[in-house]
Each structure stands twice: as C-alpha cells, then as structure tokens.
Amino acid sequence: MQQVEVTGKTVEEAIQQALQQLGVTQEKVDVEILSPGTPGIFGVGGEPARVRVTVKASPAAFVKELLTNIIRYAGWDLTVEEPEEREQELYVNMEGSDAGLIIGKRGDTLNALQLLLQAAVLNRFHQPLRVVLDASKYRERRRTAVIRLALTAADKARSQKRIVRLRNLSPAERRIIHMTLQSDPT
C-alpha cells in the first residue's frame, strides 16, 4: 500500500503535493489530516499543515495480495497471475506444480478458497464483485466437460424418451447445464 506524509502551507497544498508524488488523482486516495497547521501572527510562529495520503487498494490488488499470502503460508508452489476484471467479476488464475492440491476433489478446495476470497472482498469493499478462482485453467476445462455432458444427456433423453439423471453437480455446473440446454429447441 502506497502512503506518504507531506507538509505544506495549507492542507490543500499538502494534499496536492502528495498527489503529485504518488501520481494519482484525489478519488483514488484516502486523506488523513495530521495537523491543520497554523498561520501564525504576521507570518511568525506559523506551523505547516501535515497530511498522510494513502492510495486506496483496488479489489484486484487486494485479492492478489491476499491469495499470494495464503499460498505462501500454506507452502504451495503456485504463482498468482494478474487478475482480470470482467463485468462485475474478478477472474484470478494460479499456475504451478501444486495446482492439483488447491483444486481438491471435484474442485472443493478451490470453491472453498473462492468463497473465502469473495467474503473478504465484500467485507473490505462493500460492492457486489464476484470472484472466480481458477488453477491451471481447471474451471475452463471443467466447463467444456459439463457442456459436453449436458449435450450428451440431452441426446440420450431424446433417443430413449425418458428422464436422464446426472450425478450431483455444483450450483455453478448446474447453471452451465441450464444455460447450454436453454437454447436447445427440443
């Protein structure tokens, strides 16, 4: 987190100096006035204004830092790629030799970690931003497999003219099946 303490004749002047040092606009920072300063009498005995300006963390930077710390403390050999911001969604992929460990059985560990990150982002930023956590593009491969499963089950149901039951799927996988079969005319 970038932070500077700056002094100036006035609070406004000190804030402007800090913004120039950090190279950001005022909307992207939090300002804490440490001392409003005093003008003194006839210019004598005055005290400069002092402010602390901190750059606000973005959800993407926050998620990457938190996930990197979790991975480091767990001792996993994974690197966190730069998060991609999509429509109300933050996609984060991890690569490394321990990808199988973080995925877990049927993605359970990955889902649990994703839920933890989602809660942390909501608690910190108070905005509806969905976090999608992936390891070695597992979710993309799984999505392809679930689409194939949905199309195969639909063909089987049509040919046998009976209901085809699928094994227990996660809510995300059920959503993929519904979206895939939604455009199916039969």
Side-chain angles (χ1 to χ4, degrees):
M1 189 179 309
Q2 291 182 312
Q3 177 177 317
V4 293
E5 284 188 25
V6 179
T7 58
K9 289 182 182 177
T10 65
V11 171
E12 291 78 25
E13 183 181 302
I15 292 171
Q16 289 306 315
Q17 288 178 17
L19 293 175
Q20 286 177 351
Q21 282 183 19
L22 293 170
V24 295
T25 60
Q26 188 147 1
E27 299 83 39
K28 296 183 179 182
V29 296
D30 288 324
V31 177
E32 181 183 354
I33 300 172
L34 302 174
S35 169
T38 56
I41 299 174
F42 302 113
V44 179
E47 186 179 305
R50 205 169 95 222
V51 295
R52 179 180 299 138
V53 178
T54 307
V55 177
K56 294 178 186 175
S58 70
F62 173 74
V63 167
K64 183 174 182 179
E65 181 181 349
L66 180 60
L67 188 56
T68 302
N69 287 337
I70 290 170
I71 289 169
R72 185 168 34 93
Y73 289 127
W76 290 324
D77 179 30
L78 292 166
T79 56
V80 179
E81 294 179 356
E82 206 55 44
E84 297 174 30
E85 291 191 41
R86 300 173 182 166
E87 302 172 5
Q88 295 297 314
E89 183 177 273
L90 189 63
Y91 176 82
V92 185
N93 187 47
M94 299 169 289
E95 294 290 337
S97 61
D98 288 337
L101 288 173
I102 203 162
I103 291 170
K105 185 177 180 181
R106 283 194 265 145
D108 288 343
T109 307
L110 196 60
N111 289 338
L113 190 54
Q114 178 176 302
L115 184 65
L116 178 72
L117 290 171
Q118 181 81 36
V121 167
L122 184 61
N123 185 39
R124 175 81 182 261
F125 295 99
H126 308 291
Q127 62 181 1
L129 182 68
R130 185 170 174 248
V131 177
V132 177
L133 190 57
D134 203 352
S136 295
K137 306 290 184 187
Y138 165 78
R139 293 212 192 270
E140 290 178 16
R141 291 190 315 270
R142 184 69 188 141
R143 178 180 173 77
T144 304
V146 169
I147 289 172
R148 207 172 322 120
L149 174 69
L151 296 174
T152 303
D155 287 343
K156 186 176 178 181
R158 267 192 293 271
S159 68
Q160 294 180 358
K161 296 191 184 338
R162 66 178 184 89
I163 294 174
V164 174
R165 298 202 183 272
L166 302 175
R167 66 169 181 75
N168 293 340
L169 299 171
S170 71
E173 292 171 337
R174 287 194 305 271
R175 189 177 316 113
I176 293 168
I177 287 186
H178 287 289
M179 297 301 289
T180 302
L181 297 179
Q182 183 178 9
S183 60
D184 193 15
T186 55

